[in-house]
Amino acid sequence: MELSVVVPTLNGRDRLSACLDALAAHAPDAEVIVANGPSADGTTGMVRDRDDVDVLVEISDRSVNVARNAGIEVASGDAVALVDFDRRVTDGWQEAVLERLESAPVVTGPSLPIDREAPAVDGPEHRRIAGREVRYFTSGNVAFRRGVLEVLDGFDEYLNVGGARDAAHRLAGLGHEIAWNERMSVGHEPLAEGGHDWREKYRALGYRLAKNYGVRPGVVRTLVGEALCDARTSFEEVIRGEGAPTAWIGNGWRVARGSLEGSTDGIVARARDRSPSRNPRGLSVRHDRAVALYDRRDGRVER
């Protein structure tokens, strides 16, 4: 089984370099594809100067899901892995991927902090929604058989966040299991936590729930329950003096607005694509993602 590794990136030159170094050390036989958003930090020059990257795809979109699809589109392996630019594969990662894909259509593994005590992880997150058991995969560390990606039609480019979780819902709907292999481990440097974009988070949540399940009581309960949980956590911050009451109220409006927008768009998307893939803005819909392509496999340069 031939393995392709797609690395989506945007303005992460130094961390991307460390990611590529790890792939060269621990997955030397894999085809490596970098899908670069409109980076302004010298990423293009750094990647082109390396001889261990097979294809560099330049895209104009800032969306990680567009980058994922752009990389998948040019990958030639019959197994395709997605590794985020701020992750580093570890010794035995490639062997663990290929070994598990022999018996499972999708495999994922842990993403653990580097140089810090790692929490125990015994499997992927999972939950039951509208009668369906959904197992999520680690978005920066997952591998698929190519046939599964084709049926899934890649990632939904409507989403700016939550594309991996949407794909997990669709995999569950298609009846594909996500296997776990703890030896398929990647490391990451812990990043400082930023503020939440509440509108974007709930736009994505409302969209994927409405698109994948339609409007039903279980979907409404999930959406409302998630919002109430976040509202309670934020209110506790206000009580502790870590947040302002006006900000808490403003965030509530953003949650409501994002939920309504996403749910409405999700209903429209469900009507547009009634196929099992549930992906009206997927891999097959467009072929103009790349604005430039540098392919070492055949010396091709396209603009």
Side-chain angles (χ1 to χ4, degrees), residues 6 8 64-65 68 81-87 107-111 136-144 155 162-165 167 184 186:
V6 174
V64 67
N65 293 312
R68 288 165 173 162
L82 294 166
V83 176
D84 282 354
F85 72 93
D86 57 356
R87 304 297 198 266
V107 61
T108 191
S111 179
Y136 298 106
F137 56 81
T138 307
S139 63
N141 183 29
V142 63
F144 304 81
F155 290 80
R165 295 180 84 83
M184 182 183 159
V186 299

Side-chain angles (χ1 to χ4, degrees), residues 1-2 7-8 24 40 87 104 107 113 123 134-135 148 169 177 184 195 208-210 250 255 280 297 303:
M1 185 178 290
E2 298 296 324
V7 185
R87 304 297 198 266
V107 61
V134 180
R135 291 168 64 89
V148 173
H169 285 283
E177 298 256 345
M184 182 183 159
R208 65 176 178 263
L209 289 175
V255 167
R297 298 173 300 190
R303 291 182 181 273

Side-chain angles (χ1 to χ4, degrees), residues 7 12 17 24 29 41 44 104 152 171 178 200 230 249 264 268 297:
V7 185
S17 180
D29 300 327
D41 62 351
T44 299
L152 195 66
L171 285 167
I178 297 174
E200 193 61 46
D230 281 335
I249 294 171
T264 301
V268 173
R297 298 173 300 190

Side-chain angles (χ1 to χ4, degrees), residues 218-274:
V219 168
V220 176
R221 282 197 301 271
T222 299
L223 187 58
V224 172
E226 190 84 12
L228 290 175
C229 182
D230 281 335
R232 182 179 60 199
T233 301
S234 297
F235 187 71
E236 290 171 353
E237 293 175 356
V238 173
I239 296 300
R240 293 195 301 268
E242 299 172 2
T246 53
W248 181 76
I249 294 171
N251 288 336
W253 281 111
R254 294 182 186 93
V255 167
R257 183 178 176 183
S259 299
L260 180 60
E261 289 178 353
S263 298
T264 301
D265 291 344
I267 293 169
V268 173
R270 185 175 178 85
R272 284 179 55 194
D273 186 353
R274 298 180 180 275

Side-chain angles (χ1 to χ4, degrees), residues 116-164:
R116 291 192 186 182
E117 184 176 351
V121 181
D122 58 4
E125 179 188 352
H126 59 91
R127 67 189 304 180
R128 191 169 186 82
I129 298 177
R132 179 186 299 173
E133 188 70 26
V134 180
R135 291 168 64 89
Y136 298 106
F137 56 81
T138 307
S139 63
N141 183 29
V142 63
F144 304 81
R145 292 183 194 165
R146 173 167 289 281
V148 173
L149 275 176
E150 291 173 352
V151 173
L152 195 66
D153 202 18
F155 290 80
D156 190 331
E157 295 179 11
Y158 169 89
L159 292 162
N160 295 319
V161 299

